[in-house]
Amino acid sequence: MKRRVLLLLTLCAALSVMIAGCREGSAPGEIKLPETLKVAAKLPEEYPGQVTAYRLTWYEADERRAIDAFMHTEPQEREEQATGPIFRTHTESFREHLHIYAEVIHGGMDYSYYTPGGADFGEVVKERELLNYHLRRQQPWECIKTDLTPREMGNGSMGEAGREDLGFMTYDDALAELEARLSACSVPSCQLIRGEAHTAGLLNQNRDIYNRAAGDRGGEAISKTFTQDDEYYYFEFREILDGIPFCNAQWAESTFGESGGGSLPGVRAIYHKDGLIDFRAGSMVEPGEAISAEPIIPPEEALKAYVEEYSKAIHFENSEIISLELNYVIITDSKGLYARPAWIITTAVEKKAGQGSNTAGFDYTDYEAAAVSAYSGVILEREADMR
């Protein structure tokens, strides 16, 4: 009897070790992972059994509607560019410009407004970039195949903004006003993925982090102390179709000739005490004919395909899969544009100074996105990949 109990306890202990090993070394679906790869993402449990592929056309903003929705007065100037017409207004109290995309740049527009206050326009643009690009904590999809400067200057350690109301306008009112402008211009259906209130306290906190990094690297510090006059809301949207978002992470090099990727439909905007001061909608598309509705593979199969491809190479950096999501990606061929479903796998990669492929000279987290066709299970390599 004692022998049977001892054998049973031994088997239970062995089983416990096997289970523990599986949790640490295997992804969902019993996929064996290399030592340098972990899965932190929770795989989707609910997703459609089949997804429709569509033909697409680039969204084209109506000039009159855009002018009425964005500009404070009738524009004083119109300049024709290869990228589309630019409308401008210059007054003693403010300047604004509206650029409606055409030809070289696709699917949207950008708008900016500022009150000079004696400042040079170039200085205003520089400060906008500082607020929007360096002192705002970037998200993984913003860090793919982009400039490392923000991460070098401590962006990864900066504080995250909340959704509280600022003094000049409530969060809900700012969002509602922005959505009304989008509706007035018939911008394709969008989903809010980021809404933030950047307070003076947060801006100064992030400035201090930036300045410490600048001191370590011999960079130029930010001397300004931010006040309530500098506070702003930041909103970001991505386009959706049939309830499925379009991919907003750079999963392939763009074939459309645009920096940052021409196939990533999205909208971003900054609301300030002066109202809407910065806006961009780019690469937005409109669905046309439905081509086909086909079954899609489960996320476990997409993960397996990714792990198999990952395992073919030797990796010196540790990586962690942080998200796996069903998206539409924009695919192109000689006949046009198409929306096709793909499982987007986003990976965080630890880059250590002097190790592996890191030539930057400092530690940072890099991000990568892979698109696995939800129809075929093949990893897509470029925007012309129709597999």
Side-chain angles (χ1 to χ4, degrees):
M1 181 66 180
K2 289 182 179 180
R3 186 176 180 182
R4 289 180 180 177
V5 171
L6 180 60
L7 179 60
L8 180 60
L9 290 174
T10 302
L11 288 172
C12 288
L15 182 60
S16 298
V17 171
M18 291 173 63
I19 292 173
C22 177
R23 285 175 180 167
E24 293 177 3
S26 299
E30 303 302 318
I31 302 170
K32 185 177 180 181
L33 299 176
E35 289 185 2
T36 56
L37 182 65
K38 294 182 179 179
V39 178
K42 182 179 179 181
L43 271 59
E45 297 179 355
E46 297 183 2
Y47 50 89
Q50 64 178 25
V51 175
T52 302
Y54 292 92
R55 291 187 183 276
L56 301 172
T57 56
W58 293 116
Y59 160 72
E60 295 182 4
D62 179 87
E63 290 183 10
R64 185 69 262 166
R65 288 185 178 182
I67 290 170
D68 291 344
F70 287 92
M71 301 195 75
H72 289 66
T73 66
E74 193 67 19
Q76 299 169 340
E77 301 175 7
R78 176 187 175 121
E79 179 183 352
E80 296 295 338
Q81 293 280 351
T83 56
I86 300 175
F87 302 91
R88 297 188 181 92
T89 295
H90 304 267
T91 73
E92 292 184 359
S93 58
F94 70 89
R95 292 185 183 184
E96 62 182 339
H97 99 264
L98 173 66
H99 181 190
I100 299 178
Y101 301 156
E103 302 300 333
V104 179
I105 306 180
H106 305 285
M109 68 195 102
D110 63 67
Y111 170 81
S112 67
Y113 172 95
Y114 83 102
T115 51
D120 177 76
F121 179 68
E123 290 301 312
V124 174
V125 172
K126 184 178 179 180
E127 183 169 304
R128 286 275 172 88
E129 181 179 354
L130 186 69
L131 292 174
N132 188 29
Y133 191 58
H134 292 284
L135 299 186
R136 177 181 59 77
R137 175 81 176 259
Q138 293 183 340
Q139 297 301 306
W141 62 82
E142 300 177 273
C143 300
I144 298 173
K145 299 179 182 176
T146 58
D147 180 19
L148 289 175
T149 302
R151 278 169 279 181
E152 183 179 12
M153 304 308 284
N155 191 274
S157 301
M158 289 184 179
E160 293 274 11
R163 290 192 174 187
E164 61 262 45
D165 291 339
L166 300 178
F168 62 87
M169 177 185 279
T170 68
Y171 174 95
D172 289 341
D173 285 347
L175 178 58
E177 186 177 309
L178 176 58
E179 290 175 332
R181 293 175 192 259
L182 298 179
S183 177
C185 293
S186 300
V187 172
S189 181
C190 293
Q191 174 191 66
L192 180 69
I193 56 171
R194 200 171 182 193
E196 302 174 338
H198 289 258
T199 64
L202 178 65
L203 290 171
N204 287 316
Q205 172 190 328
N206 289 345
R207 177 210 56 197
D208 292 343
I209 294 170
Y210 180 98
N211 285 346
R212 282 197 293 272
D216 292 340
R217 309 198 176 283
E220 182 179 353
I222 301 168
S223 59
K224 177 175 180 175
T225 298
F226 296 99
T227 69
Q228 285 189 342
D229 285 345
D230 300 302
E231 294 181 340
Y232 68 91
Y233 294 112
Y234 178 82
F235 298 108
E236 186 172 355
F237 299 79
R238 58 181 177 178
E239 187 173 347
I240 57 172
L241 176 60
D242 292 346
I244 299 173
F246 276 86
C247 180
N248 67 331
Q250 185 66 10
W251 60 273
E253 293 294 343
S254 173
T255 59
F256 304 121
E258 299 175 39
S259 61
S263 63
L264 310 177
V267 174
R268 60 177 184 265
I270 294 178
Y271 262 85
H272 178 264
K273 66 180 179 61
D274 294 326
L276 178 65
I277 62 170
D278 197 80
F279 173 89
R280 184 181 187 277
S283 301
M284 305 295 285
V285 289
E286 296 187 292
E289 172 192 3
I291 300 171
S292 63
E294 300 179 28
I296 64 171
I297 64 170
E300 290 82 4
E301 286 191 30
L303 180 60
K304 182 180 179 181
Y306 177 84
V307 172
E308 288 177 352
E309 186 66 24
Y310 177 95
S311 301
K312 292 178 182 178
I314 297 174
H315 297 271
F316 297 97
E317 300 100 352
N318 290 323
S319 299
E320 185 174 70
I321 294 173
I322 59 174
S323 71
L324 195 159
E325 183 185 46
L326 181 64
N327 284 180
Y328 272 116
V329 292
I330 296 178
I331 302 295
T332 181
D333 66 10
S334 60
K335 297 179 182 179
L337 303 172
Y338 309 89
R340 294 171 63 89
W343 290 104
I344 303 298
I345 298 174
T346 304
T347 307
V349 184
E350 294 180 12
K351 297 285 188 177
K352 299 293 183 182
Q355 297 181 15
S357 60
N358 184 2
T359 59
F362 59 93
D363 295 351
Y364 67 97
T365 301
D366 205 6
Y367 297 91
E368 299 172 353
V372 180
S373 169
Y375 288 153
S376 66
V378 171
I379 296 178
L380 303 176
E381 296 178 356
R382 59 187 66 85
E383 289 173 330
D385 197 333
M386 298 289 288
R387 290 178 292 173

